[in-house]
Amino acid sequence: RIGGMIHTTLDREVSLVWSKIPKSPTIGTIAGRLTICPQPQYSAPVDPLVNHRAGEHLDPATPATRLTDERRSLLTANDLYLFNEGSHFHLYDKLGAHPATLQGVEGTYFAVWAPEAEQVSVFGTFNHWDPTRHPLHPCQFSGIWEGFVPGVGVGALYKFHIRSRHHGSVLIKTDPFARLNEIPPKSASVVWNLDYTWQDSNWMHTRARHNALDAPISIYEVHLGSWMRVPGEGNRSLSYREAAPKLIEYVQRLGFTHVEFLPLMDHPFFGSWGYQTTGYFAASGNYGTPQDLMYLIDQLHQHNIGVILDWVPSHFPTDEHGLSRFDGSHLFEHADPRQGLHPDWGTAVFNYSRNEVRSFLISSALFWLEQYHADGLRVDAVASMLYLDYSRKEGEWIPNQHGGRENLEAITFLRQLNEEIYRRHPDVQTFAEESTSWPSVSRPTYAGGLGFGMKWDMGWMHDTLEYMALDPVYRKHHHRNLTFRMLYAFQENFLLPLSHDEVVHGKGSLLAKMSGDDWQKFANLRALFGYMYAQAAKKLIFMGGEIGQWREWAHDDSIDWNLLQYQPHQGLQRWVADLNHLYRTEPALHEFDFDPRGFEWIDCQDVDAGVISLLRHGRTPQQHIAVVCNFTPVPRLQYRVGVPQGGYWKELLNSDASMYGGTGLGNLGGLSAEPIPAHDRTHSLAMTLPPLSVLFFKAPS
C-alpha cells in the first residue's frame, strides 16, 4: 500500500515511500520511484548527530565524528535515498574510513558499497590482517556495509574483505573512498583525515575574475613526477612541498596564470601518468600526504596562480584491488564487454546508467574542488564517453535505444556533472578534452550543450603542427591549415593545447617537429607560439616546450633544464615569458577570446608570401593589436599591411629580436601608419618582416 505499512513473510515491517520522480530502472512495473526500507533503525530521517544536511560539505577541520550506541552510523535515511537515487554528491563525507568517537572510545567508522556481497569485513594492521575479526553490517537495503572499529586511528592500513554472492568468490579490495593509499605496488588504504588550515582566502574570494571567460588564461601543463627531479638522490621526483617554491618561482617568472597537473589521484602504474586512476578520492602518495598536496595548492593560490586538476571519469584500470568487479559483480562497470571494456587502453568503462555510479563520480569531482580548493577540472577522454562505437569496429558495440551511436547515459552524466559543479562553484571552470566535432560541448545544458566551460581545440593543434613541420617551400599548398580554424573558432569556448600527448610515443618534441636546420627550428617554434597567442582562445603549453627540449618527454626523467645554458633555449624561454606578459596586460588579446568581436583578418590570402595578418580587439574603442606572421625564411621589406587608423603603431614584440635568438631584423620599435589604403582600410603600415617571425603592433590610443 503506497504510503502505508505492509507485513511481509520476512516477519518484519517495511515502509513503502512514494516519490514522484522518473521511472526507476530497478522497478520497471511502477511509473515512479519506490523505495523499500526496513522499519527505520533510527528515529530521524536526518541524522541529528551530524551537524549538516545530507550531501552538504564537511569542514575538513572538523574533529572526529562522535557516534552513540543508538546510532553507530554516519548514514541517514536521507543519505541512503539520495545515494540510491543518484543525487548524493558528497559521499566522501559518509563512505570510506572516518576517525570517530563512540561513547568516549576512539576508533574508525568504515562504510563500503558492495550490494552483491554476502559478507564484508575490514581488516588491516589493527587486527593482524585477520578478516574474521571485524565484520561489517548491511545498512538497510542500500547495498552499503558499515561498522565501527575501536582503537583504529590515523595511519592504520586496511582493506575490505568481500565474500560475494557470485559463486562465493572472495575479493580483497582497496577502499574506493580512501583519502590515501600506500605507494604502489602496495595497495592498502590508509586511515587518514583531511585536517588542514588554508591560507588562500584572498584567492578564493577573488578567483572568479581569474577564471572568467574574458580573463587571460595561460596554462602551464605539468607532470609533477618528471617536471624537476633530484639527481643526487637517485633521480627521485620532488615531493609536493619541495615542488611548491620552485614551481611558483618558475610559473611567476614565465607569466603563466594557471598550472594544470596531470592526474594526481592515486594510480598503480606510474607509466600511465595518472590516467589509470584507482583512487578517486586519494591524492597520490608518490609525492606526499593529502596535506602536502593541499600545501602545494595553497601556496600556488597565495601567489595568484590557479590550479587545474586532470580528472578521469571515462575509464578505470582492471587491477585486482581496484573498482573492477568490486563485489564479484560488475558494480562500477558495464557487464557486457561491448560497453564495459575500452579497446584502446584495456580498461573498464563506467556504467553511467547506474545511479550510485553517478553519485560516486560527481562526489569525486566536487571532492577535489572543495577539499583541495582546485580551480578547475580538465575532463579526460570525453570523446570516448560520448560515442558507443569509439575505437570499436562493427559488431563490437551496442547501439542506444534509438539505434544510434551516441552514449545517452554518458551525455546525461556529463550534463549533470557540469550543472552540479557550476551550481555550487560558479567561480571554477571545467575543460573538456573532446577531439571530435560534437556540437555545443561548452554551451549551457539549458541550450542543449554539455555544459563545459571550455573545450580543447584539438583540430587547431593537429593542423598547425602539421603545417609547421613542412618545409616552407611547400607551406603555400597547406595555407588552409593556418586559417581553417576561423570557420569554427567561436562555436565553442576553445582552449589551444600544445599538450603532453603531442610530445610522446615517437611524435617528437615541439622543437624536433619544426622544419629546417637548428636556427630555423627555433625560429619556427617561436613563430608557432606567437601565432598561438595571437589567436582568439585560451592557451596551454606542456612543460619542456617552453625551453625547446630536443627529446620527447619521458615520465621517468626530468625536463632537460641543462639546455638553458645555451642562448637559443634561453631566448625561446624569454619569448614565452614575454608572450604571457603581453597576453595578460593587453585586454585586446584576451577579453574577446570567445567572441567574434575580438578577431578580424587583415589578410589571410597571401599564400605565395606565406604571410597572414590579423587584428585583435578589446572592449575599449581603438583598443587594437595588429599581428603579422611570416612563415617563410625570406625577409619581406616594405610589406604593406592595412590598419584601421593612423598614428604611431608601437612594435610590442618581435620574435626575431636578438634577445630571443633571432637575426635582430625589425622596425625600430614601431611605425607610423600612412594614409595609403590597403586591405580595404584607409591607412597602412609599410613594415619589415623578418624571416619566420611574428610581430605584434599596438594601435595609438
Side-chain angles (χ1 to χ4, degrees):
R1 186 168 85 243
I2 301 301
M5 307 299 296
I6 294 179
H7 291 274
T8 74
T9 56
L10 298 177
D11 197 29
R12 60 182 179 183
E13 292 182 331
V14 296
S15 65
L16 303 181
V17 184
W18 176 257
S19 179
K20 296 180 180 179
I21 63 174
K23 177 179 177 182
S24 166
T26 58
I27 306 177
T29 58
I30 300 177
R33 172 79 178 180
L34 192 64
T35 304
I36 304 178
C37 308
Q39 182 68 15
Q41 301 173 20
Y42 317 116
S43 58
V46 177
D47 187 353
L49 299 172
V50 179
N51 296 320
H52 65 286
R53 290 179 297 144
E56 288 191 341
H57 173 57
L58 277 177
D59 185 344
T62 301
T65 305
R66 185 169 297 278
L67 306 176
T68 69
D69 277 330
E70 293 75 26
R71 173 137 184 111
R72 303 186 181 200
S73 178
L74 293 180
L75 293 159
T76 69
N78 198 31
D79 286 325
L80 302 182
Y81 176 81
L82 293 174
F83 173 51
N84 293 139
E85 182 191 58
S87 57
H88 198 314
F89 302 133
H90 288 87
L91 291 175
Y92 55 84
D93 287 339
K94 303 291 183 172
L95 301 185
H98 297 269
T101 301
L102 175 61
Q103 294 208 340
V105 178
E106 294 184 351
T108 296
Y109 166 80
F110 295 94
V112 62
W113 181 48
E116 291 300 311
E118 62 180 16
Q119 186 182 51
V120 179
S121 62
V122 60
F123 68 137
T125 52
F126 47 86
N127 60 15
H128 305 290
W129 295 99
D130 182 353
T132 66
R133 294 274 300 277
H134 293 106
L136 302 181
H137 308 286
C139 182
Q140 303 185 28
F141 299 139
S142 64
I144 296 173
W145 298 70
E146 62 177 349
F148 175 78
V149 182
V152 177
V154 171
L157 303 181
Y158 69 99
K159 285 189 177 184
F160 291 117
H161 184 277
I162 301 171
R163 184 179 299 280
S164 175
R165 292 194 183 100
H166 296 267
H167 311 294
S169 58
V170 174
L171 305 105
I172 310 299
K173 292 292 186 177
T174 300
D175 183 0
F177 286 88
R179 280 84 179 276
L180 180 66
N181 293 318
E182 286 187 293
I183 298 174
K186 297 180 179 180
S187 59
S189 296
V190 186
V191 176
W192 207 260
N193 62 44
L194 298 179
D195 296 350
Y196 182 81
T197 302
W198 289 89
Q199 305 289 331
D200 64 347
S201 59
N202 288 339
W203 169 269
M204 296 298 285
H205 290 148
T206 61
R207 72 173 176 180
R209 71 168 184 256
H210 297 283
N211 291 333
L213 297 182
D214 62 354
I217 295 180
S218 176
I219 302 168
Y220 187 52
E221 188 186 30
V222 172
H223 177 254
L224 188 61
S226 58
W227 178 68
M228 186 178 290
R229 293 199 167 212
V230 186
E233 299 180 23
N235 200 36
R236 68 170 178 85
S237 302
L238 295 176
S239 69
Y240 293 123
R241 289 182 181 266
E242 288 174 325
K246 298 177 184 296
L247 188 59
I248 288 167
E249 186 279 329
Y250 188 74
V251 170
Q252 283 189 318
R253 179 155 53 88
L254 265 70
F256 289 100
T257 63
H258 292 67
V259 171
E260 179 179 314
F261 290 110
L262 271 62
L264 292 175
M265 299 80 185
D266 189 61
H267 51 282
F269 176 47
F270 190 74
S272 77
W273 316 330
Y275 288 103
Q276 295 199 7
T277 303
T278 49
Y280 278 81
F281 298 83
S284 173
N286 287 310
Y287 316 113
T289 67
Q291 283 77 7
D292 294 334
L293 175 54
M294 291 176 182
Y295 175 84
L296 170 59
I297 295 173
D298 195 3
Q299 289 294 307
L300 287 163
H301 283 174
Q302 290 181 50
H303 291 83
N304 291 318
I305 300 168
V307 177
I308 301 163
L309 298 180
D310 231 327
W311 182 64
V312 190
S314 49
H315 62 108
F316 59 92
T318 57
D319 294 64
E320 187 176 4
H321 66 275
L323 299 178
S324 180
R325 297 186 64 87
F326 187 79
D327 60 359
S329 70
H330 296 280
L331 189 60
F332 289 90
E333 71 274 24
H334 282 281
D336 193 318
R338 293 174 295 176
Q339 295 174 290
L341 189 65
H342 198 292
D344 285 350
W345 305 308
T347 49
V349 178
F350 282 106
N351 183 354
Y352 306 107
S353 66
R354 190 157 196 168
N355 294 343
E356 295 87 350
V357 170
R358 294 197 306 276
S359 283
F360 172 82
L361 288 172
I362 296 176
S363 292
S364 172
L366 292 174
F367 175 79
W368 297 103
L369 294 171
E370 295 172 354
Q371 297 292 318
Y372 284 86
H373 289 200
D375 304 297
L377 296 174
R378 180 263 193 184
V379 181
D380 181 62
V382 171
S384 73
M385 301 170 67
L386 294 174
Y387 298 97
L388 294 167
D389 62 345
Y390 186 89
S391 288
R392 293 179 172 89
K393 300 175 183 177
E394 186 175 352
E396 296 179 348
W397 59 283
I398 301 175
N400 62 35
Q401 63 191 34
H402 305 296
R405 58 197 285 256
E406 300 81 9
N407 189 333
L408 302 181
E409 291 80 12
I411 295 167
T412 299
F413 162 71
L414 289 171
R415 287 173 173 164
Q416 186 181 27
L417 168 73
N418 284 308
E419 286 172 355
E420 289 301 323
I421 287 176
Y422 283 111
R423 182 171 69 86
R424 299 163 189 266
H425 305 286
D427 56 350
V428 306
Q429 292 291 353
T430 59
F431 304 79
E433 189 225 4
E434 202 286 306
S435 55
T436 74
S437 57
W438 187 279
S440 302
V441 171
S442 58
R443 295 293 178 254
T445 57
Y446 63 76
L450 295 182
F452 284 94
M454 299 178 211
K455 170 181 171 173
W456 278 28
D457 191 346
M458 311 288 279
W460 171 85
M461 177 181 66
H462 292 303
D463 287 349
T464 308
L465 290 178
E466 181 182 83
Y467 179 89
M468 299 304 295
L470 294 170
D471 188 294
V473 73
Y474 301 115
R475 286 179 176 175
K476 66 180 181 180
H477 304 296
H478 300 269
H479 195 74
R480 70 181 297 277
N481 283 36
L482 294 177
T483 60
F484 178 73
R485 170 173 199 272
M486 297 316 298
L487 296 178
Y488 66 83
F490 301 106
Q491 293 178 10
E492 301 276 4
N493 298 336
F494 279 117
L495 179 147
L496 305 183
L498 293 173
S499 74
H500 64 277
D501 275 329
E502 303 313 306
V503 293
V504 290
H505 303 324
K507 297 177 184 177
S509 69
L510 287 182
L511 184 61
K513 291 177 193 287
M514 302 296 106
S515 68
D517 58 24
D518 286 359
W519 185 91
Q520 289 180 334
K521 285 182 181 295
F522 278 98
N524 272 308
L525 186 51
R526 292 194 301 270
L528 169 62
F529 286 146
Y531 185 52
M532 176 187 190
Y533 278 75
Q535 287 283 308
K538 307 310 180 186
K539 333 293 180 188
L540 178 144
I541 297 175
F542 181 59
M543 63 182 200
E546 81 283 3
I547 67 170
Q549 182 159 307
W550 282 106
R551 64 187 179 100
E552 287 188 343
W553 168 52
H555 63 266
D556 287 324
D557 292 320
S558 175
I559 295 302
D560 293 332
W561 298 110
N562 61 299
L563 293 174
L564 288 174
Q565 64 184 301
Y566 304 111
Q567 199 282 330
H569 298 274
Q570 293 177 17
L572 178 64
Q573 184 190 55
R574 183 170 181 177
W575 171 242
V576 172
D578 287 351
L579 283 171
N580 275 325
H581 177 75
L582 187 68
Y583 174 61
R584 296 177 67 162
T585 57
E586 291 295 338
L589 290 176
H590 63 252
E591 283 184 338
F592 288 143
D593 270 339
F594 305 138
D595 190 318
R597 290 178 293 172
F599 183 94
E600 182 182 359
W601 285 121
I602 297 174
D603 183 8
C604 62
Q605 301 182 66
D606 194 351
V607 174
D608 290 332
V611 175
I612 60 172
S613 50
L614 59 94
L615 286 167
R616 294 298 309 277
H617 307 295
R619 288 194 178 92
T620 304
Q622 297 185 341
Q623 194 178 72
H624 311 300
I625 301 289
V627 186
V628 186
C629 310
N630 178 11
F631 289 105
T632 70
V634 180
R636 310 284 177 185
L637 306 180
Q638 293 295 301
Y639 188 90
R640 193 162 292 279
V641 176
V643 291
Q645 66 187 77
Y648 184 78
W649 286 68
K650 182 180 179 181
E651 188 179 67
L652 299 175
L653 287 181
N654 176 353
S655 68
D656 193 55
S658 300
M659 61 182 176
Y660 304 131
T663 66
L665 198 62
N667 297 279
L668 301 177
L671 296 167
S672 292
E674 302 170 291
I676 299 175
H679 302 122
D680 295 324
R681 290 169 174 82
T682 58
H683 291 74
S684 60
L685 302 172
M687 63 181 63
T688 296
L689 293 183
L692 298 171
S693 66
V694 175
L695 285 69
F696 291 78
F697 293 87
K698 184 175 182 178
S701 56

